[in-house]
Amino acid sequence: MTQQIFRFGDFQRQLTAGRNEVSLNDLILKPGRDADNNLVPSEPLRIRLTLPEAIKLLQPYVTVRFMDQVRAVVPLGLYLALFQLIILSQSVEDSWIITGGLFAVIVGLMFFMEGLKLGLMPFGTVIGSNLPRKSALPVVLLVTLLLGIGVTFAEPAIGALKAAGQNVSVERAPYLYAMLNQWSDVLVLVVGASVGLAAVIGTLRFLYGWSLKPLIYLTLTPVLALTVYSAFDPGIRNVIGLAWDCGAVTTGPVTVPLVLSLGIGIAASAGKGDSGLSGFGIVTLASLFPILGVLLLSLYVSYTVTPEEIMATAEAAASSGGVLPWYERTPGVEIVLGIRAILPLVLYLYFIFKVVLRERFENQGEIIYGITLTVIGMIIFNLGLTYGLSKLGGNAGSLVPAAFMEVTGQPDSPIYHYGVGLTLALLFAWILGFGATLAEPALNALGMTTENLTNGVFKKKTLIHAVSIGVGCGIALGLARLIFELPLVWLILPGYLFALVLTVFSTEEFVNVAWDSAGVTTGPITVPLVLAMGLGFGNATNAVEGFGILSMASIGPIITVMITGLWSSHKARKQTEAALHGTSASSEQEAQALL
């Protein structure tokens, strides 16, 4: 075999074949000189791109972000449509409008998430790291409280909660109707204040290293007590589902990253942010505090207004008729809501940044670009919510009962025998919850954090499957409640008491992961879809209200994750004991061989 020798220059030339080499001197403008022969700085040439060049440049940037949302939305939309076509033998009404709405959801979330990362997240990071060094602790906590209120108004799923009020019967549930219509702004304010208070306590937990377990016990005790009290009050009994669903709505893509970055930044600046548990706890508290806030608000409304006054106000609003102004009609209402959700939050963050911290923007253009994307994304998402997710979920929810019962307007109902149809309905709900949870991007991030936190004892894949199974079982159980007309308190009380027992026997790491997983599973796609489906299902089955499914979707993963965590710890302990026993046995054998 002969050996061939190549010149290194020839080898390099072969590697760079097909590439053009351009001298840097050709790209840099030569400085000019004035009359006194002094150097005059030359301004760089403005790059001009043709439309095809601009598209080619933006394509990788847009495609990655677009496909992230496609993977989350399209499978759920196809699943609902195919279930309706194949299992229920019903065509999808307004299919083109729904398709356009789902496309708007994808585009809106793409803009919104990118804008959130570029325009709002830098505020949270800078404020969190600099505020404790320049302000006293009371000022820091006040800023955190107000931020919690602002981010709640900016949550995309809050719009779905408000839209749900139109489907509530004022005669059958007057106080629920009042809170979702006449008191809707106060409701969101109370939820926001509850999130702000949770952020304050979570921040104090970061600073002082408090365990999450006592905070869970102290918070859940009044929440469960007030829930039981409300269950025995006929007037506000129907508000329980709304209150518990509000806990799921608040922990979305705006609240969690902004409040979390602020809390972690404060803890890090105080030298307390090096713990592996940094970041856990705020999501849990932000899920529990709004429940307490909404239940207290329902008590206040019940003592302030009578059902007759609520019905009279609703009747007067309905009989007034007339043409609504443009900002109360679609698409004007979606535009106004999108601007109103983001602009106050941006102005508040800007005030803290410039007036309190006296900081300067390093990437002002990028931040303005991000804020613009956030506003545009929120507006487009609201339009998609109106015409896509809400319509799709409402249609599916109203048609699923036809599988096992007679439904008005469905001549072929029931489609199946009662037992078969009921099984199909519950299986539909379980698969919907399981698939929607797998599509949540926040769950993947939580899975990686958990695997690192537990030193590989709790694998990322195990957590994702445990959470998804819990959400699926929770949504199926919530649907069963509507079918059999079970009081929601019968499901909430045993579920959370069982979760408390598991909390006692679980380690701090698994408690943090399990209780926070209940918040990350309810994203901007899952919440509107499940809310609309529950209300549509409730209307079809003549239930008073269709709330409560999201609350079941929250308790499910808490239980499944802690059970899985206890089992993983037990297995790891057995493997360690077996390894130690094997090592000692081999040492004894070696000693006997030497003797």
Side-chain angles (χ1 to χ4, degrees):
M1 184 175 179
T2 58
Q3 184 178 7
Q4 292 184 338
I5 299 175
F6 292 95
R7 290 178 64 249
F8 182 70
D10 295 335
F11 173 70
Q12 270 195 318
R13 193 160 41 251
Q14 288 294 327
L15 286 179
T16 57
R19 300 182 184 178
N20 294 324
E21 293 184 1
V22 180
S23 173
L24 182 63
N25 293 326
D26 296 335
L27 300 176
I28 299 175
L29 292 175
K30 306 280 189 303
R33 294 184 179 272
D34 58 13
D36 298 328
N37 203 29
N38 295 320
L39 290 174
V40 178
S42 56
E43 295 194 10
L45 293 174
R46 187 180 182 85
I47 299 175
R48 298 187 181 275
L49 298 175
T50 62
L51 183 59
E53 289 172 338
I55 293 174
K56 193 173 181 180
L57 189 65
L58 288 172
Q59 185 178 357
Y61 173 75
V62 174
T63 303
V64 172
R65 288 151 183 82
F66 183 77
M67 291 308 297
D68 284 343
Q69 305 307 326
V70 166
R71 282 189 287 269
V73 176
V74 171
L76 292 178
L78 286 175
Y79 167 67
L80 290 174
L82 290 175
F83 186 89
Q84 193 168 321
L85 289 169
I86 298 172
I87 306 298
L88 302 179
S89 302
Q90 298 289 331
S91 60
V92 181
E93 293 183 5
D94 302 325
S95 57
W96 288 108
I97 296 176
I98 290 175
T99 303
L102 292 179
F103 181 76
V105 167
I106 292 170
V107 174
L109 278 178
M110 178 186 70
F111 283 173
F112 181 82
M113 299 304 290
E114 184 67 9
L116 186 69
K117 183 174 69 177
L118 297 177
L120 294 182
M121 286 300 294
F123 278 111
T125 305
V126 174
I127 291 173
S129 59
N130 292 329
L131 189 64
R133 292 190 282 108
K134 296 187 177 182
S135 305
L137 183 60
V139 176
V140 173
L141 297 180
L142 178 63
V143 169
T144 306
L145 175 67
L146 295 177
L147 180 66
I149 298 174
V151 294
T152 303
F153 277 91
E155 276 297 341
I158 286 291
L161 193 64
K162 285 186 170 184
Q166 302 171 3
N167 299 319
V168 176
S169 170
V170 65
E171 291 83 10
R172 301 180 69 186
Y175 286 115
L176 178 63
Y177 177 88
M179 291 183 66
L180 285 169
N181 291 276
Q182 300 153 8
W183 292 71
S184 61
D185 290 334
V186 178
L187 173 68
V188 178
L189 184 62
V190 167
V191 171
S194 303
V195 172
L197 185 60
V200 168
I201 296 177
T203 302
L204 289 172
R205 174 178 176 267
F206 289 162
L207 289 173
Y208 298 111
W210 296 340
S211 169
L212 184 60
K213 286 187 179 184
L215 293 177
I216 292 174
Y217 304 147
L218 290 172
T219 308
L220 259 185
T221 301
V223 169
L224 293 177
L226 203 53
T227 301
V228 173
Y229 174 82
S230 301
F232 288 98
D233 188 329
I236 59 174
R237 182 184 300 156
N238 299 321
V239 182
I240 294 175
L242 170 67
W244 283 85
D245 280 1
C246 281
V249 169
T250 54
T251 50
V254 183
T255 303
V256 174
L258 260 179
V259 173
L260 211 53
S261 62
L262 182 67
I264 292 175
I266 292 171
S269 65
K272 305 288 180 67
D274 56 347
S275 169
L277 300 178
S278 291
F280 286 100
I282 285 186
V283 176
T284 298
L285 298 175
S287 300
L288 294 175
F289 274 53
I291 304 169
L292 185 62
V294 174
L295 288 174
L296 290 173
L297 176 64
S298 69
L299 285 175
Y300 175 78
V301 173
S302 67
Y303 286 124
T304 307
V305 188
T306 63
E308 292 76 19
E309 290 173 340
I310 294 170
M311 286 186 275
T313 305
E315 187 178 349
S319 61
S320 62
V323 179
L324 294 173
W326 68 271
Y327 53 84
E328 292 185 11
R329 301 194 309 267
T330 184
V333 65
E334 285 84 6
I335 295 172
V336 171
L337 287 175
I339 296 172
R340 197 171 70 179
I342 303 299
L343 195 58
L345 176 62
V346 171
L347 292 176
Y348 172 69
L349 291 172
Y350 181 80
F351 173 80
I352 299 298
F353 198 80
K354 297 293 288 185
V355 177
V356 178
L357 298 181
R358 294 185 175 87
E359 293 284 336
R360 296 184 61 184
F361 291 106
E362 293 184 0
N363 302 312
Q364 186 171 347
E366 185 178 300
I367 290 176
I368 293 173
Y369 165 71
I371 292 170
T372 305
L373 283 184
T374 308
V375 175
I376 294 173
M378 191 67 159
I379 292 170
I380 298 174
F381 176 81
N382 285 338
L383 287 167
L385 180 65
T386 302
Y387 294 104
L389 286 178
S390 295
K391 266 185 173 294
L392 186 63
N395 287 349
S398 61
L399 290 173
V400 168
F404 61 90
M405 65 178 288
E406 187 175 344
V407 176
T408 306
Q410 301 297 328
D412 298 330
S413 60
I415 302 171
Y416 301 98
H417 185 270
Y418 181 79
V420 176
L422 183 62
T423 303
L424 286 173
L426 296 178
L427 186 63
F428 158 79
W430 189 90
I431 295 174
L432 177 66
F434 185 85
T437 307
L438 285 179
E440 285 294 342
L443 187 56
N444 284 282
L446 182 65
M448 288 187 290
T449 305
T450 303
E451 189 167 336
N452 294 331
L453 184 64
T454 59
N455 296 319
V457 172
F458 208 140
K459 303 291 184 186
K460 172 186 169 183
K461 186 178 178 182
T462 306
L463 176 76
I464 291 174
H465 286 156
V467 173
S468 301
I469 290 170
V471 174
C473 293
I475 291 182
L477 191 60
L479 212 63
R481 180 190 80 86
L482 294 177
I483 295 170
F484 299 113
E485 298 181 1
L486 300 173
L488 184 60
V489 69
W490 288 9
L491 302 178
I492 288 175
L493 199 60
Y496 274 92
L497 288 176
F498 182 48
L500 285 176
V501 172
L502 292 173
T503 302
V504 173
F505 291 102
S506 298
T507 61
E508 186 76 18
E509 290 83 3
F510 289 122
V511 168
N512 282 275
V513 172
W515 285 87
D516 269 16
S517 67
V520 301
T521 55
T522 47
I525 298 168
T526 310
V527 168
L529 202 58
V530 173
L531 265 180
M533 187 196 72
L535 292 170
F537 197 96
N539 289 334
T541 55
N542 293 319
V544 177
E545 44 85 22
F547 291 101
I549 297 180
L550 283 174
S551 62
M552 291 293 98
S554 296
I555 181 59
I558 296 174
I559 294 173
T560 53
V561 169
M562 276 196 286
I563 289 175
T564 309
L566 288 170
W567 174 248
S568 299
S569 299
H570 174 72
K571 273 179 38 177
R573 202 162 41 245
K574 287 290 184 183
Q575 289 173 357
T576 304
E577 290 174 0
L580 291 173
H581 181 72
T583 304
S584 60
S586 62
S587 300
E588 289 178 7
Q589 291 175 359
E590 289 174 4
Q592 289 176 0
L594 288 172
L595 290 173

